[in-house]
Amino acid sequence: MCDQTFLVNVFGSCDKCFKQRALRPVFKKSQQLSYCSPCAEIMATDGLHENETLASLKSEAESLKGKLEEERAKLHDVELHQVAERVEALGQFVMKTRRTLKGHGNKVLCMDWCKDKRRIVSSSQDGKVIVWDSFTTNKEHAVTMPCTWVMACAYAPSGCAIACGGLDNKCSVYPLTFDKNENMAAKKKSVAMHTNYLSACSFTNSDMQILTASGDGTCALWDVESGQLLQSFHGHGADVLCLDLAPSETGNTFVSGGCDKKAMVWDMRSGQCVQAFETHESDINSVRYYPSGDAFASGSDDATCRLYDLRADREVAIYSKESIIFGASSVDFSLSGRLLFAGYNDYTINVWDVLKGSRVSILFGHENRVSTLRVSPDGTAFCSGSWDHTLRTKNYLFVSLQVWA
Amino acid sequence: MAAGPASHGGLRRAQRPHLSKMERMVVSMQDPDQGVKMRSQRLLITVIPHAVTGNDIMEWLIHKYCITEEEALHLGTLLVRHGYLYPLRDPCHLELRLDETPYRFQTPYFWMSTLWPAAELDYAIYLAKKNIRKRGGLFDHEKEHYDQLHRKISHTWDLVVMQAREQLWAAKQRRKGDRLVIACQEQTYWLVNRPPPGVPSVLEQGPERNSCTAGRVQMPTGPFQTKTVDFYRREVECLRKALGRARVKSSVCLEAYLKFSSQRGPHDPIMSGCLPSNPWVTDNDTYWAMNAPSAAVPTRLRVEQWAFSFRELLEDPVGRAHFMDFLSKEFSAENLSFWEACEELRHGGQAQVPALVDAVYQQFLAPGAARWVNIDSRTMERTLVGLGRPHRHVLDDAQLHIYMLMKKDSYPRFLKSDLYKDLLAEAVVPPKTKRRVFPFMRKPRHSSPSPALLPASASREPSGGDGEA
């Protein structure tokens, strides 16, 4: 939230007739809208949607979408690469694999950094969730989930617990313990319950709340201690694949991306969708906020990454190249937001110059699709996980997570 | 091949847009004018037309997409692994060789996007053919599959052998060149659909994504309509609100990125390095020790970052502590304490909400409270009314008011204060680590205590000072 929240909208476009009039706040189904006086009077006597059919709602949605695009285009006076012409081009980039973490026996699906900047948690297809000190490459904890395809995992802000879930439709929280006598699985807490697979999870600012995204098309906010559902977010028309919390001053919003090609920004308090963007041509696999919180990037199966600005309310950049034809599975920004790291299904990692829109570097280091990529909390390195394995002996398979700097 | 295209072909294809892109690429590679140089390839005594070499493919890719050799080789390899190109010699490994090995473009009949189910029966027929043609010519994994299938579908094994014989006989009627090509095509198809052990399958997609769930539920009766009506109604409401949104000009927003990136550039370790050195590169973790959350003397870059935004000052425990000191001198420390208490409420456990709300009220809001905070009357009224039914967001308005107060008033004064200026002056600028003379002597990597080992009390602190190593 910025100072613009203090601007009161007293003159503008009426929410019903779109004419420029003096406006009054009006509440419809406990949501605040701004109507001009004549429309407000009409609303008082209007029946609400009693006779609306599916077809009329659909066509209304389409026409509103068209109008929205027109409105968005009105304030678009310059392109990002034009503005960025003044900026110095980046020099040669050298990033190498500094650590290879071997220990997963199957595809790595997800990973997350701890706030201490060196520990990570990773999850894989065979149900194993491992906590590593990636600086020393030691494994510190390992848990075997009762399900396969653990597609989501997250480290708690305090560093004392991890959350994970996948095809079991649940998100479970495991407190991390070094007590040899305690079985980590024994203290497991089942927090979230969805009706389809869990695709992403994230702790909010504390260990007590978890935000989840699921294949059932919804996101949800849960209280960890009691497992109570605090808020649910409906609006996606298909599986939700990813989410990211906004680094904002009041910490109230998050963005999610799904198979309906939409990226939606939600208000955590009310459960309402605040903004929606639908310019991708295929599933959105990953979303990540720009460090300032004013924009976010998304990576999709249509082989592009896109940057959406929240204040301008539109897509402002596309990062694509004709030679890149495989989908981007995960994206993350460097600390200053100048670089965008994206892992692709063609086993490579492309590094993009966010401002100029050009590709800075391509990194080859994996032998199968890159499934997850996160920059460390202090920006010194990033970690990538993939589906690859290196056949060592006949029966032993190692899978790699790599840390690059 | 036995079966036709899969019934859910339309839906699944949408999930794999890279296949259609590869196909377009391959089609343009076969363009007579702009495509790859094709030549006739001599294999012993047969001549195969329309063959290309690995080098030709690479050159074409480099030229067309302006990419490096490494990337072109990678892209070419992917085309081969997905079965769009096949080698005419030794087609048991799908890789792009840069020698004189001839390649040909796979016939669209066998393309991955046709989504033919590649059934067991077909595979059995193929293996049987191979077995008949070359006695004992099956690879190990193929032999295993053959035995498995023999056991599994032994009741139709006669059909399998009969089909195999028929197909071999039909093939004999063709010219040798055609026969060779068709055999290679088929072999490539099966290498893609039944990869040998150790070779990753390019068919794997992960758990199925159903792109038709939330909005459209397949129920035979009434509920089907209601669910979708709800979905569109919600969408329409969301769109209406979006139309009334206040927007900012693109030029203003984009300029902000430039400013942000240039301001943060020196703070970005990947872009500008970090002092004394990046721990991942030199195996020296001094950088982390110097920038630990509770470091006694913060580094210069860290102190500078507190001036970037109020949020970043508060997010840093050391910065927040100094700001608290400053506020104490100004007798307004209760503002920050109130804000911290509100944060604890908002992000705390559900069960603690009533108790926390009450504690905050007693300490900060009640008339005559020990650390009374100065909120404007309207917000105070609203808050007091809301306290009747405490929930985690009941103090949001009051918290925002105090936050803005600090941000607009105390924060700028803090940045101009002597306290801050002294901090900047005293801040440490670590020297860059000299490059090691003997780089192959690896420094031992220190381990650090896990945050999970710290005593329980430390982990319950509010968001700022959470127990970190």
Side-chain angles (χ1 to χ4, degrees), chain B residues 24 41 272 343 366 409 452:
Chain B
R24 250 178 281 148
Q41 184 61 39
S272 321
E343 281 290 284
D409 195 32

Side-chain angles (χ1 to χ4, degrees), chain B residues 47-63:
Chain B
V47 175
I48 317 281
H50 303 135
V52 295
T53 65
N55 272 313
D56 292 336
I57 294 167
M58 254 186 63
E59 266 176 44
W60 187 88
L61 286 170
I62 293 173
H63 182 74

Side-chain angles (χ1 to χ4, degrees), chain A residues 252-322:
Chain A
N252 265 337
T253 59
F254 72 95
V255 63
S256 67
C259 287
D260 57 354
K261 311 173 198 172
K262 277 206 276 200
M264 303 176 82
V265 181
W266 305 88
D267 175 17
M268 281 208 277
R269 183 175 165 175
S270 63
Q272 296 299 316
C273 167
V274 172
Q275 279 171 290
F277 303 92
E278 201 174 346
T279 61
H280 269 294
E281 293 160 16
S282 189
D283 305 355
I284 297 180
N285 294 316
S286 167
V287 285
R288 193 72 61 205
Y289 269 95
Y290 186 75
S292 73
D294 287 331
F296 68 90
S298 60
S300 154
D301 272 349
D302 66 4
T304 65
C305 299
R306 295 175 198 233
L307 186 68
Y308 296 92
D309 187 295
L310 296 171
R311 295 191 298 166
D313 192 31
R314 58 176 295 120
E315 170 195 292
V316 291
I318 305 183
Y319 306 102
S320 68
K321 207 169 183 307
E322 260 192 61

Side-chain angles (χ1 to χ4, degrees), chain A residues 5 16 19 33 68 70 80 91 110-111 125-126 152 159-160 170 252 298 319 332 358 360 366 377 384 402:
Chain A
T5 52
K16 195 170 161 87
K19 297 209 184 101
L33 302 170
L68 186 57
E70 276 175 38
L80 180 54
C110 183
M111 56 94 22
Q125 183 198 342
D126 58 4
C160 297
K170 291 195 277 211
N252 265 337
S298 60
Y319 306 102
D332 205 353
S358 56
V360 170
H366 287 289
S384 61
Q402 299 189 19

Side-chain angles (χ1 to χ4, degrees), chain B residues 110 130 181 239 259 349 376 453:
Chain B
F110 281 132
K130 208 172 173 191
V181 158
L239 286 165
K259 177 161 178 272
D376 71 290
L453 278 172

Side-chain angles (χ1 to χ4, degrees), chain B residues 70-332:
Chain B
E70 201 182 1
E71 202 182 340
L73 178 61
H74 182 80
L75 191 51
T77 309
L78 283 171
L79 285 172
V80 178
R81 287 226 196 116
H82 282 79
Y84 288 101
L85 278 164
Y86 60 90
L88 281 169
R89 251 186 254 141
D90 183 25
C92 61
H93 288 114
L94 291 178
E95 55 190 27
L96 190 71
R97 295 227 195 94
L98 296 179
D99 48 26
E100 287 307 301
T101 317
Y103 288 85
R104 273 185 119 239
F105 294 95
Q106 178 67 293
T107 169
Y109 184 85
F110 281 132
W111 278 357
M112 263 179 84
S113 53
T114 56
L115 293 171
W116 281 2
E120 285 182 336
L121 192 65
D122 301 315
Y123 193 41
I125 294 172
Y126 165 72
L127 289 175
K129 270 199 299 190
K130 208 172 173 191
N131 206 19
I132 295 171
R133 201 160 29 106
K134 276 195 271 186
R135 303 259 161 206
L138 291 176
F139 300 120
D140 286 338
H141 68 97
E142 285 178 334
K143 277 205 201 89
E144 274 178 43
H145 282 296
Y146 188 73
D147 294 332
Q148 255 177 29
L149 285 167
H150 188 85
R151 279 195 297 273
K152 214 168 168 188
I153 52 174
S154 54
H155 50 284
T156 47
W157 202 252
D158 292 338
L159 173 66
V160 168
V161 174
M162 189 175 69
Q163 270 286 320
R165 289 222 175 91
E166 289 241 356
Q167 287 186 14
L168 279 175
W169 185 82
K172 279 215 173 68
Q173 310 301 312
R174 295 209 183 89
R175 284 191 351 239
K176 184 148 191 227
D178 290 344
R179 201 160 64 226
L180 183 68
V181 158
I182 290 173
C184 287
Q185 286 175 345
E186 216 186 345
Q187 176 138 14
T188 304
Y189 176 81
W190 287 110
L191 275 172
V192 170
N193 282 283
R194 295 278 191 280
V199 174
S201 165
V202 293
L203 297 174
E204 281 192 287
Q205 290 296 310
E208 197 174 303
R209 293 175 186 175
N210 187 354
S211 44
C212 291
T213 49
R216 289 152 253 183
V217 176
Q218 303 292 325
M219 280 202 256
T221 54
F224 168 63
Q225 284 284 63
T226 320
K227 264 237 151 108
T228 43
V229 165
D230 262 350
F231 173 74
Y232 282 110
R233 201 174 288 170
R234 236 191 324 249
E235 198 176 30
V236 164
E237 278 191 48
C238 177
L239 286 165
R240 281 183 190 284
K241 269 193 285 172
L243 274 163
R245 232 191 124 75
R247 279 178 205 91
V248 179
K249 271 200 300 194
S250 289
S251 45
V252 172
C253 302
L254 301 177
E255 285 291 331
Y257 298 153
L258 262 63
K259 177 161 178 272
F260 187 86
S261 296
S262 65
Q263 196 184 46
R264 310 298 163 126
H267 294 250
D268 186 341
I270 291 179
M271 302 233 356
S272 321
C274 53
L275 302 170
S277 67
N278 189 323
W280 301 100
V281 176
T282 58
D283 287 350
N284 180 338
D285 60 357
T286 312
Y287 178 73
W288 287 330
M290 298 188 84
N291 285 290
S294 47
V297 184
T299 62
R300 190 179 183 96
L301 279 177
R302 189 172 174 180
V303 179
E304 278 174 13
Q305 199 170 352
W306 300 342
F308 288 163
S309 76
F310 190 40
R311 167 169 69 89
E312 282 166 276
L313 171 66
L314 290 183
E315 273 175 2
D316 186 344
V318 174
R320 194 194 285 199
H322 285 296
F323 187 61
M324 183 69 98
D325 283 341
F326 173 75
L327 288 179
S328 312
K329 293 206 178 79
E330 297 207 328
F331 304 105
S332 51

